Amino acid sequence: MPEVGWSVGQRAAVKRWMMFVYLFAVAGLVLSILLIVMGNSGGWILLALTVCIAGAAYMFVGNIRKRQPR
C-alpha cells in the first residue's frame, strides 16, 4: 500500500514546531555567547546542546520529507 504525502494541516504543524525549534535555538545561541563572554564555561555546554538539538530536529524532518511522495 503506497504511503500518502503529508496533509496541509500536518505541513503547517511541522512548520510551526520547526519555527519554535529555531526560535529556541537562537535564544540558546545568544545566551551561550553571553555566558562565554562573561567567562562561564557552561556557555560552551549550552552552545553544544543547542546545536545538537536544532541539528537533530532539522535532520529528522528532512529525512521524513525525503521519504514522502511529491
Side-chain angles (χ1 to χ4, degrees):
M1 181 171 216
E3 292 183 32
V4 295
W6 285 350
S7 69
V8 174
Q10 288 171 325
R11 287 185 198 143
V14 168
K15 285 182 182 180
R16 186 173 42 250
W17 283 109
M18 288 307 290
M19 183 181 66
F20 283 124
V21 168
Y22 290 138
L23 287 175
F24 281 113
V26 168
L29 287 173
V30 170
L31 181 60
S32 65
I33 290 171
L34 180 66
L35 288 172
I36 291 169
V37 168
M38 290 173 48
N40 190 338
S41 61
W44 291 106
I45 295 170
L46 181 60
L47 180 63
L49 285 173
T50 302
V51 169
C52 287
I53 291 170
Y58 177 78
M59 289 189 325
F60 177 72
V61 171
N63 189 23
I64 291 174
R65 254 188 219 155
K66 287 179 189 174
R67 292 187 288 161
Q68 295 296 319
R70 304 246 174 210

